[in-house]
Amino acid sequence: ALGKGSDLEKAFATMALVYNNSADVEGKLSKAETKSLLQTQFWGFIQGQENKPKYQEIISTLDEESENKIDFEDFMILLVSLTLMSDLLQEIKNVKTTK
């Protein structure tokens, strides 16, 4: 559908597709499913973050025994939060691309 879309549009479409493929019929993920999805699909950004207090806080929240589910909006907030504190983000910022 986004064959001619920009790289950013394709990235967001991919995030939505990955989320939707894992979500239940209500379009939500359990906290355990969210944690698993982050660990399998976002490992490059979370790798090495285990000792950071903010990362530990996020994972602790996902580990809590709770019926609460994560919707797409909350999932995107988690992705942005993890991206902003990631060591990988700094590496990405240091890369210069030319077209």
Side-chain angles (χ1 to χ4, degrees):
L2 285 175
K4 294 183 179 183
S6 71
D7 290 344
L8 189 57
E9 289 172 321
K10 290 176 186 176
F12 271 83
T14 299
M15 287 185 283
L17 180 63
V18 169
Y19 178 89
N20 286 336
N21 284 339
S22 298
D24 63 16
V25 295
E26 296 174 346
K28 296 184 178 186
L29 295 174
S30 71
K31 288 183 175 184
E33 291 166 329
T34 301
K35 182 179 175 182
S36 177
L37 190 60
L38 291 171
Q39 290 173 330
T40 59
Q41 296 292 319
F42 211 60
W43 66 269
F45 282 90
I46 62 175
Q47 187 176 18
Q49 305 306 304
E50 297 84 3
N51 295 325
K52 292 186 177 181
K54 185 63 177 173
Y55 176 82
Q56 290 175 349
E57 179 184 328
I58 289 169
I59 295 304
S60 292
T61 300
L62 294 176
D63 282 338
E64 290 175 0
E65 297 279 336
S66 176
E67 301 272 330
N68 293 339
K69 293 192 172 189
I70 305 291
D71 62 16
F72 184 67
E73 181 179 328
D74 291 335
F75 182 75
M76 292 301 290
I77 291 168
L78 282 173
L79 288 181
V80 170
S81 297
L82 291 168
T83 300
L84 290 173
M85 68 180 176
S86 172
D87 295 335
L88 184 57
L89 180 61
Q90 190 55 49
E91 290 179 40
I92 292 167
K93 286 180 177 180
N94 291 334
V95 173
K96 301 290 184 199
T97 59
T98 58
K99 290 195 177 200

